[in-house]
Amino acid sequence: MPLASCLLPCALRYIPTPYSLLPTPYSLFPIPCSLCYSFNYPLIIVVSMIKKITLDSIWFRNLLIIVIVLGVVFRFYNLDRKVYWYDETMTSLRISGHTRTELVEEIFDGQIISVENLLKQYQFPNPERDINDTINSLAGNPEHSPLYYLMARLWLQTFGNSVVTIRLLSVIISLLALPCAYWLCLELFGSKLIGWVAVAIIAISPFHVLYAQEAREYSLWTVTILLSSAVLLWAMNYSRIKQFIKKPYRWIIYSFTVALALYTHPFSAFVLIGQGLYVLITEGGRWSKRVTSYLLASLGGILLFSPWLIIVITNFSKFIANTDSVNHSRSGFLPLFWTLNLSRIFFDVNQGIHPLSPLHYLSLFLAGYALYYLCRQAPQHAWVFIITLIGVTGIALIGPDVLLGGRRSSITRYAIPCYLGIQLAIAYFLTTQAKNSGKYTKVMIDGNLANPEDRQNQQVRGDHDMVPMGKTRQNPKAWKSIAIALAFSGILSCIVSSQLPVWWHKSYAKSRNNPPVAAWINQIPQPLLISNEIPGRVLSLCHLLRPDVQLMLLDKSNSSTNIPEIPEGFKNVLLYRPSEELRQGIETTYKYSVKPTDQSWLWKLSR
């Protein structure tokens, strides 16, 4: 894929090294060049704002700029080269207004259909189905809140049907997480620098980059978590920012963010419970005006969510049935999956769960020490907020798995609130070390380091707890090594994962052979592909095939007793992941010889 510099701000092209060394992929997706240039302006603003930060460590400021810019670039890179895997095809099926049952009944009946017609009808919006059909399809899967799917349908209807277009929506949404993280840090710590460090950590996190390129709701969930958290603190009047909106209206805005979060993901309920605990703890367990305002605002958000809540309650049996897989324990030691998932937010080269992997323990130590440092040094309202953000969701996932068995806590994307809290803690730790390196630190107010004379002269704003810090000289080499290691590991991880079509989050077992299988099929003339594989896996392969490839799809539940007649006129008749019963039935009924090809999951028929 050719390289160019369209996605980088024009200003960066003239900044001396190290900016001139930034990779600048351009041919990421077929959209107008003017749209690419429109993404330059936010990056220019970011660079100019960071350069205004007063910080002794100029290289640290430069590192922030490079990391944030690269994090943005990686989100756009190779959008069309990644496998459109099982879960993404289910997203598209619901957007099209169809259910899985309808797809099986209408298409998996042994009739011939082209890839082009299959995708056009069941993977993208079309005139035959409207937005009400999409809502009805989602009602059959109430475990998925509807906001992202409705947004995606409207997005595709506006900008056209393609894999790149729907993934571009997730990319753009993921970029909104960066200003939300910055705002949250301003509310928590009153420090712009902590905000920029948090933005950099989230921007280059390989975990967030992976899910920014998925046609799924998880980038939107990240945004709503950060947004609702920032608005809550803003409404509680902890903000250092000049207030232009009166407090009652801020609580109304919080109600809308509560509803947005719930309409995005059902696990937002855990985040909201954590926020409620935070309000109670910071108010000392007393019934105060803030507690009343929080309860009224939360109730307002739940009322706004009530239309979908009624659907969830009505279809609760489907909710339970569709999520039954999380109750099945997975092989392996569960805590190893926790440490593996934790390491993936910093460094991800598709490493396994080997118990001797140092990455697990380094990540665990970094997260643990950052949280310890946060609890010791940060204002009480800041560390209580982060601990409740992590703790409630963590307990909700780990508790049932430990007590009853299951795999909830091993599914990385479910723990996004926990990972965000850990990243905020690390941002606080690195920033305070950056400002303290080589200096004696005596006092800190709300995350803003200050000398006693500054405090006496009221040069440092803030009305919260002063946090005394030990009068010890900081070791600049240690924190510099951590900062460089985090930046390097994130960049390296994104480079590696961006080059491969299948990564761990796309279910390697379901997707790994689809790219070579599709490439092999696309090179042969007049193919007919027969399969009784489950719909999601077939649809995933179809997104890689030529539009004129013909399909004969069968329902696995009756394909062994209802062997279809194979039509003439096809030079190459292939079987994709057929069941043993289907292979034997074709050999017995039609006297075909079924032989494996040199591609896994693919067989060829010959007489």
Side-chain angles (χ1 to χ4, degrees):
M1 180 168 287
L3 299 179
S5 55
C6 178
L7 280 184
L8 277 183
C10 298
L12 286 185
R13 301 177 195 168
Y14 304 101
I15 297 178
T17 307
Y19 306 104
S20 59
L21 300 179
L22 292 174
T24 57
Y26 166 64
S27 299
L28 310 181
F29 38 80
I31 60 176
C33 189
S34 59
L35 183 58
C36 292
Y37 280 114
S38 68
F39 293 124
N40 289 349
Y41 302 113
L43 291 178
I44 294 173
I45 294 173
V46 166
V47 171
S48 62
M49 291 179 68
I50 295 178
K51 291 179 72 174
K52 292 180 181 178
I53 295 175
T54 302
L55 184 62
D56 294 336
S57 300
I58 302 301
W59 76 268
F60 187 61
R61 186 177 65 187
N62 295 342
L63 181 65
L64 290 180
I65 295 174
I66 294 174
V67 166
I68 292 173
V69 172
L70 283 176
V72 173
V73 171
F74 280 125
R75 280 164 167 76
F76 288 94
Y77 186 67
N78 268 351
L79 279 179
D80 59 336
R81 302 297 179 89
K82 307 298 182 66
V83 165
Y84 201 71
W85 74 293
Y86 182 97
D87 281 10
E88 290 180 297
T89 65
M90 293 297 102
T91 295
S92 292
L93 181 64
R94 293 165 193 142
I95 289 172
S96 72
H98 291 87
T99 65
R100 185 181 183 276
T101 301
E102 290 174 343
L103 174 64
V104 172
E105 292 176 351
E106 297 171 8
I107 299 300
F108 284 68
D109 59 355
Q111 300 298 314
I112 304 295
I113 186 173
S114 68
V115 167
E116 180 180 16
N117 290 335
L118 175 64
L119 297 183
K120 183 178 180 180
Q121 185 174 357
Y122 293 95
Q123 289 289 277
F124 299 109
N126 59 80
E128 297 178 5
R129 299 289 177 116
D130 59 20
I131 198 166
N132 292 322
D133 294 304
T134 297
I135 294 174
N136 291 334
S137 174
L138 290 167
N141 296 91
E143 72 277 11
H144 293 285
S145 296
L147 180 59
Y148 170 79
Y149 299 88
L150 299 179
M151 290 175 61
R153 181 183 176 92
L154 296 175
W155 177 268
L156 290 174
Q157 289 176 330
T158 303
F159 297 103
N161 295 334
S162 74
V163 168
V164 170
T165 305
I166 190 172
R167 284 177 170 167
L168 184 60
L169 173 62
S170 297
V171 171
I172 294 174
I173 291 173
S174 75
L175 296 181
L176 297 178
L178 305 184
C180 289
Y182 179 79
W183 183 17
L184 178 56
C185 287
L186 284 183
E187 300 296 340
L188 278 175
F189 307 110
S191 169
K192 294 180 180 179
L193 182 56
I194 295 177
W196 284 118
V197 173
V199 168
I201 290 174
I202 293 174
I204 204 61
S205 168
F207 171 80
H208 291 295
V209 172
L210 288 176
Y211 279 97
Q213 296 187 322
E214 286 276 290
R216 302 288 283 164
E217 63 265 37
Y218 298 104
S219 59
L220 181 60
W221 190 32
T222 300
V223 171
T224 59
I225 292 168
L226 295 171
L227 180 62
S228 65
S229 299
V231 173
L232 173 65
L233 296 174
W234 178 55
M236 293 181 71
N237 203 29
Y238 281 136
S239 178
R240 300 286 189 82
I241 305 171
K242 187 176 180 179
Q243 305 297 333
F244 297 100
I245 301 177
K246 294 181 180 180
K247 187 178 293 186
Y249 297 106
R250 284 180 249 157
W251 284 111
I252 293 174
I253 295 173
Y254 176 68
S255 292
F256 282 101
T257 64
V258 168
L260 284 175
L262 292 172
Y263 273 115
T264 300
H265 200 284
F267 282 3
S268 296
F270 301 140
V271 177
L272 301 179
I273 292 172
Q275 292 175 354
L277 286 176
Y278 164 76
V279 174
L280 288 175
I281 293 172
T282 54
E283 293 301 303
R286 299 185 303 272
W287 190 274
S288 65
K289 187 176 180 180
R290 281 176 174 165
V291 173
T292 302
S293 298
Y294 166 79
L295 291 175
L296 291 175
S298 298
L299 179 61
I302 294 172
L303 288 175
L304 291 173
F305 179 67
S306 59
W308 188 255
L309 183 60
I310 293 172
I311 291 177
V312 172
I313 295 173
T314 304
N315 297 275
F316 194 68
S317 59
K318 294 182 179 179
F319 189 107
I320 298 298
N322 294 343
T323 58
D324 181 65
S325 61
V326 300
N327 297 316
H328 303 158
S329 300
R330 65 192 310 171
S331 59
F333 186 48
L334 197 57
L336 285 179
F337 288 101
W338 303 341
T339 55
L340 170 63
N341 293 341
L342 178 62
S343 69
R344 282 171 169 166
I345 69 175
F346 307 115
F347 184 72
D348 179 15
V349 290
N350 230 351
Q351 64 267 25
I353 60 169
H354 196 282
L356 298 181
S357 172
L359 292 174
H360 303 340
Y361 306 106
L362 288 174
S363 301
L364 185 62
F365 174 78
L366 175 61
Y369 185 78
L371 290 171
Y372 167 80
Y373 184 88
L374 176 82
C375 295
R376 290 293 303 270
Q377 305 294 355
Q380 181 184 19
H381 80 275
W383 69 258
V384 168
F385 183 88
I386 291 177
I387 293 300
T388 53
L389 176 65
I390 297 171
V392 173
T393 302
I395 292 173
L397 296 176
I398 293 175
D401 285 356
V402 172
L403 298 177
L404 305 174
R407 60 175 67 199
R408 303 165 191 81
S409 59
S410 68
I411 300 175
T412 317
R413 58 188 181 271
Y414 290 173
I416 287 177
C418 303
Y419 301 143
L420 290 173
I422 290 170
Q423 288 171 319
L424 293 175
I426 291 174
Y428 176 82
F429 166 69
L430 288 179
T431 306
T432 53
Q433 295 304 305
K435 292 184 73 81
N436 292 344
S437 61
K439 298 180 180 180
Y440 289 105
T441 304
K442 297 182 180 181
V443 69
M444 182 174 64
I445 303 177
D446 279 355
N448 287 324
L449 298 166
N451 294 321
E453 58 268 24
D454 295 330
R455 177 169 51 85
Q456 293 172 1
N457 296 332
Q458 297 183 346
Q459 295 177 1
V460 178
R461 293 183 298 165
D463 55 0
H464 304 302
D465 299 337
M466 288 194 313
V467 182
M469 300 178 65
K471 189 175 178 180
T472 58
R473 184 175 294 276
Q474 305 294 326
N475 181 3
K477 292 184 177 180
W479 79 262
K480 286 182 180 180
S481 299
I482 295 173
I484 293 173
L486 286 176
F488 177 78
S489 61
I491 294 170
L492 177 62
S493 301
C494 292
I495 290 174
V496 174
S497 63
S498 68
Q499 304 304 311
L500 299 175
V502 180
W503 208 243
W504 60 266
H505 69 302
K506 292 183 179 293
S507 182
Y508 190 72
K510 297 178 181 178
S511 309
R512 67 182 184 275
N513 292 321
N514 276 352
V517 166
W520 194 89
I521 295 173
N522 289 337
Q523 293 176 356
I524 61 177
Q526 294 182 292
L528 172 65
L529 188 65
I530 303 173
S531 179
N532 65 345
E533 183 55 278
I534 58 177
R537 296 182 182 179
V538 173
L539 290 171
S540 177
L541 177 68
C542 288
H543 280 280
L544 300 172
L545 295 176
R546 298 194 324 254
D548 63 335
V549 172
Q550 301 297 308
L551 307 169
M552 179 186 287
L553 304 178
L554 308 168
D555 185 2
K556 182 174 288 189
S557 62
N558 59 17
S559 59
S560 59
T561 58
N562 187 19
I563 305 299
E565 182 178 353
I566 300 175
E568 301 292 336
F570 292 96
K571 293 184 178 180
N572 295 278
V573 181
L574 308 169
L575 295 179
Y576 173 70
R577 302 190 73 163
S579 63
E580 183 66 26
E581 293 80 6
L582 178 60
R583 291 206 310 267
Q584 292 179 356
I586 290 177
E587 288 178 331
T588 303
T589 305
Y590 298 109
K591 308 303 181 183
Y592 275 99
S593 174
V594 181
K595 297 181 180 179
T597 66
D598 57 358
Q599 298 295 328
S600 298
W601 300 351
L602 198 63
W603 282 258
K604 186 173 183 179
L605 275 61
S606 59
R607 290 193 183 276

